[in-house]
Amino acid sequence: MTETQQASGRIELAQGDFYYEDLGGGRYRSTIHAQGAWNAHEQHMAPPSGLLAHALELHEPRAGLRIARISYEILGLIHAGECEVTTKTLRPGRTIELIQAELSTKGRAVIRATAWRLAQSDTSSVAAVEDPRIPPREDCERWDGTTEWPGGYIRSLEMYQAPHHRSGSGTVWIRTPHPLIDGVESPDWVRLMGLVDTANGIATRVPPGPGSWAFPNVDLQIHLYRQPSGEWLGIDNAVSFGADGIGLTSSILHDDDGPFGRAEQILTLRRT
């Protein structure tokens, strides 16, 4: 493995067929596949989201309960390279509990994720979903996100775009062939959580880059009314820009069995 920053100032990220190397004791090292799109020396928000979901899944697991909501707050720039994850229980309970995972880089907390873990029961007799299904992958076309976005994370993905896709509103299917953590078999839902933040870049309202606008999200809220499975994440979203510098990306999340939840990302709009 190489250091993230060379003496010359050129960014050189660790290589590997995975997003993170496990260094032990809650410490990890990100690879080129986790590289962000806004800055070459930072991580994209998507892989750390998966890493924190992985930590939440392992934190004091309880039979009969599952995570139903994860709220990620982005507290600062997510530096590439070494990072540390810590977890704790904020609100213990028999049927409802609140847990937290925090990711730090360079000694500073940069992402805080809180998750509600709820008791499961048989509600199949009243189960119903109002969210519509999206077109299957065989009706979509291969899409190269690197034509719009730089960075190792975007290059790590396989993407398909639905025919009705347009600026500000779009539908894609995405997957990654790379494991989240080297040598670790993550549950399907954890790997999918590591893809959700991609939503803010799939149907850009304005082209990103110099002479246009930057619109990074400062949070990621995910609600799961069903636990997803499989390796493909479907995202059906709409992007709204307000007139006072704030925007919102809203998404319905799908797996091969249909919709399973929703995601919201609040945006800060800035001239570039």
Side-chain angles (χ1 to χ4, degrees):
M1 288 293 176
T2 61
E3 294 299 320
T4 302
Q5 182 75 44
Q6 289 185 312
S8 65
R10 182 170 62 87
I11 301 298
E12 184 175 337
L13 300 180
Q15 303 296 312
D17 191 28
F18 44 86
Y19 290 95
Y20 294 97
E21 177 189 9
D22 190 346
L23 303 178
R27 294 168 53 250
Y28 300 88
R29 180 184 287 117
S30 68
T31 71
I32 185 64
H33 297 312
Q35 184 186 42
W38 297 112
N39 295 290
H41 58 281
E42 70 177 343
Q43 297 182 51
H44 194 286
M45 176 59 183
S49 300
L51 188 63
L52 290 174
H54 170 82
L56 290 166
E57 171 81 357
L58 296 179
H59 177 70
E60 300 175 358
R62 299 271 307 282
L65 277 74
R66 75 162 176 88
I67 290 176
R69 189 225 66 182
I70 309 180
S71 176
Y72 298 91
E73 309 295 340
I74 305 173
L75 308 176
L77 191 147
I78 311 165
H79 293 279
E82 291 193 19
C83 57
E84 183 176 10
V85 176
T86 58
T87 58
K88 63 181 178 181
T89 299
L90 299 178
R91 189 268 195 195
R94 186 173 59 86
T95 60
I96 300 173
E97 61 184 17
L98 184 65
I99 57 178
Q100 175 182 292
E102 196 169 80
L103 184 141
S104 300
T105 63
K106 297 185 180 296
R108 177 188 175 191
V110 294
I111 309 173
R112 182 174 298 131
T114 56
W116 283 110
R117 188 184 273 159
L118 308 181
Q120 296 172 280
S121 62
D122 183 4
T123 54
S124 56
S125 63
V126 294
V129 175
E130 296 293 337
D131 292 327
R133 297 181 72 101
I134 60 175
R137 283 184 302 284
E138 53 265 30
D139 294 342
C140 301
E141 295 182 355
R142 188 70 180 263
W143 177 49
D144 182 5
T146 64
T147 59
E148 190 168 17
W149 292 103
Y153 170 69
I154 299 301
R155 291 196 300 271
S156 75
L157 303 177
E158 181 181 352
M159 297 176 151
Y160 288 84
Q161 191 177 83
H164 65 268
H165 198 98
R166 63 172 175 81
S167 175
S169 178
T171 301
V172 300
W173 286 98
I174 62 176
R175 70 176 287 273
T176 176
H178 309 294
L180 181 65
I181 303 169
D182 185 28
V184 175
E185 186 67 31
S186 299
D188 288 351
W189 84 270
V190 167
R191 284 173 56 84
L192 293 178
M193 293 305 97
L195 298 172
V196 174
D197 190 73
T198 318
N200 191 36
I202 66 168
T204 55
R205 183 156 291 283
V206 294
S212 183
W213 292 86
F215 40 92
N217 53 303
V218 300
D219 78 337
L220 172 62
Q221 313 292 325
I222 303 174
H223 292 78
L224 306 170
Y225 50 75
R226 173 174 66 81
Q227 180 139 309
S229 62
E231 60 179 356
W232 285 95
L233 175 68
I235 303 173
D236 186 27
N237 82 1
V239 182
S240 300
F241 285 178
D244 63 350
I246 299 171
L248 178 70
T249 295
S250 300
S251 305
I252 301 173
L253 307 176
H254 300 250
D255 62 10
D256 283 333
D257 294 324
F260 64 80
R262 293 182 174 237
E264 303 283 336
Q265 297 158 289
I266 201 70
L267 317 177
T268 174
L269 311 181
R270 303 172 182 178
R271 277 283 189 184
T272 57

